[in-house]
Amino acid sequence: SAMGMLSLQVSCLCGSAPCLLCGCCPSTKNSTISRLLFTFFLFLGTLVSIIMIIPGVEKELHKLPGFCEGSGSVLGVQTHINCGSFLGHKAVYRMGFAMATFFFLFALIMVCVRSSKDPRAAVQNGFWFFKFLVLVGIVVGAFYIPDGAFTSVWFYFGVVGSFLFILVQLILLIDFAHSWSQLWLRNAAESNAKGWYAAFCIITFIFYAASIAAVVLLYVYYTKPEGCTEGKVFISINLILCLIVSVVSILPKIQDAQPHSGLLQASLITLYTIFITWSTLANVPTQTCNPTLLVRNGTGSAMATQSLTTWWDPPSIVGLVIFIFCTLFISIRSSDHPQVNKLMMTEEGAAGVGGDAGDTESRLHHAYDNEQDGVAYNYTFFHLCLLLASLYIMMTLTNWYRPDESFQVLTSPWTAVWVKICSSWAGILLYLWTLVAPLLLPDRDFS
């Protein structure tokens, strides 16, 4: 009956995650579906942020209650225009704040959950309708935060979170490249070895070629023969660091300790580091050294109208794509890279898969609980990763720009430059550590 159907739908929304998606995912683990749904919440927030920063929508945001009040005293006469000028920017900050609060709340609730028998695991894997309501409630509340110092203080929270998320992305890329090379080496062992090794070489060559081309373009566009010292230094240091890790990754001793480390991983990390360098140079606040610099006036001058579209400059778009890839990868990964698992606090990839072929038959078309003996990933750490992701996407969409204290211009501060370049150095050192750790600490068991 209709009543029965309704109660079924309600129980599905309020029940466990598997019920929501079991039709479309054959034999899926409970843990994976929960992670995908949380990631979906993050993407939903990102989409709303993107919509709010589109110029046409941004102009309408002043109609939101409590969002524009209190800025008149700062700006004197031109209250309306000035307030409207940074509304998209402020709205993205509030969305970022709301999503970060949501994930922080869950990180706190899920501290020390060991298996799905823990009653709190039901909160992680179920009650999706109520979670959605909580998220909406936090978002609405965030828009009532008075303007004042909120934007300038939250900027620094965003900066720290983004620094950490750039490192998380790098760890995920190491893991992705490791799984990739494992898979292809396995294929090479089973079938046409020559073809797989050729594919290996071609991919590695493409990554390195792209990195070299990118470095040349960075020298051409972001430096001048005289001046622009910072740009030249940043590009050169990162180039040298990338060369060092590439050489280290193929040293015989490293190869003995880790037969699967190789140039594929190193080439991907090199490309990522060059991307972070590009992103850094796009924030250098000197007009002569940075052709992509935007300075947005609050006074509605010609400069302001032509640069209303703040975020879709190329570094931000590439950043958005990498962000989407990495957050999805956090949700579906099951890794067999021991150091990465230690860093990312996940169980071994093979663990929790269990069961034989007959068992799989019976599970076809429903999600099964693979966490009764122990969780497949650290719940709190997963939520902290999504918290950092929401701060990173907030900074990406606002280009790491911050409204000047007088709220007259939107500028790119040196803070953003130093944070990004330091995160690229920290990332390379982290990768170097994953290579040399088994040699430096022979007593510790990395397998």
Side-chain angles (χ1 to χ4, degrees), residues 383-400:
H383 288 298
L384 289 177
C385 281
L386 290 190
L387 185 156
L388 298 179
S390 53
L391 291 174
Y392 172 80
I393 205 64
M394 175 184 90
M395 297 309 283
T396 302
L397 294 182
T398 55
N399 273 352
W400 298 61

Side-chain angles (χ1 to χ4, degrees), residues 97-327:
F97 175 78
M99 291 195 296
T101 310
F102 177 76
F103 292 120
F104 182 67
L105 183 73
F106 276 95
L108 282 182
I109 295 171
M110 296 301 156
V111 169
C112 296
V113 174
R114 296 273 175 261
S115 87
S116 64
K117 296 189 181 94
D118 189 309
R120 286 176 296 167
V123 178
Q124 170 80 2
N125 297 319
F127 301 105
W128 291 99
F129 181 67
F130 296 113
K131 284 181 198 167
F132 183 69
L133 289 184
V134 168
L135 180 59
V136 171
I138 295 175
V139 169
V140 171
F143 276 88
Y144 279 96
I145 298 172
D147 222 7
F150 171 75
T151 313
S152 39
V153 171
W154 191 242
F155 171 82
Y156 290 102
F157 277 90
V159 160
V160 174
S162 303
F163 174 86
L164 294 171
F165 190 70
I166 288 172
L167 296 185
V168 169
Q169 283 192 150
L170 184 112
I171 295 168
L172 289 167
L173 285 175
I174 295 173
D175 190 26
F176 172 70
H178 179 80
S179 309
W180 187 357
S181 75
Q182 289 274 63
L183 179 69
W184 279 17
L185 287 172
R186 209 173 300 131
N187 290 348
E190 287 166 10
S191 61
N192 177 10
K194 267 187 192 163
W196 285 109
Y197 285 124
F200 232 97
C201 295
I202 290 166
I203 293 287
T204 307
F205 174 76
I206 288 171
F207 283 163
Y208 275 123
S211 305
I212 293 163
V215 167
V216 171
L217 289 171
L218 290 182
Y219 273 121
V220 171
Y221 283 102
Y222 289 92
T223 61
K224 294 272 181 290
E226 60 286 324
C228 297
T229 322
E230 295 93 350
K232 289 173 188 164
V233 170
F234 291 158
I235 301 170
S236 307
I237 289 177
N238 279 2
L239 188 59
I240 292 163
L241 286 173
C242 288
L243 276 172
I244 291 171
V245 293
S246 299
V247 170
V248 168
S249 72
I250 50 171
L251 290 176
K253 277 192 172 176
I254 301 283
Q255 288 287 318
D256 290 345
Q258 286 181 301
H260 294 297
S261 85
L263 280 179
L264 183 69
Q265 287 98 313
S267 64
L268 190 59
I269 301 310
T270 299
L271 195 56
Y272 181 67
T273 306
I274 301 300
F275 160 68
I276 298 292
T277 315
W278 176 34
S279 183
T280 304
L281 296 175
N283 268 97
V284 171
T286 355
Q287 195 82 52
T288 47
C289 304
N290 180 2
T292 55
L293 186 70
L294 299 175
V295 179
R296 226 170 103 185
N297 282 333
T299 50
S301 68
M303 189 68 187
T305 50
Q306 79 187 43
S307 57
L308 263 171
T309 52
T310 55
W311 77 272
W312 38 85
D313 62 336
S316 299
I317 291 173
V318 177
L320 186 68
V321 171
I322 295 175
F323 156 82
I324 290 172
F325 168 78
C326 285
T327 23

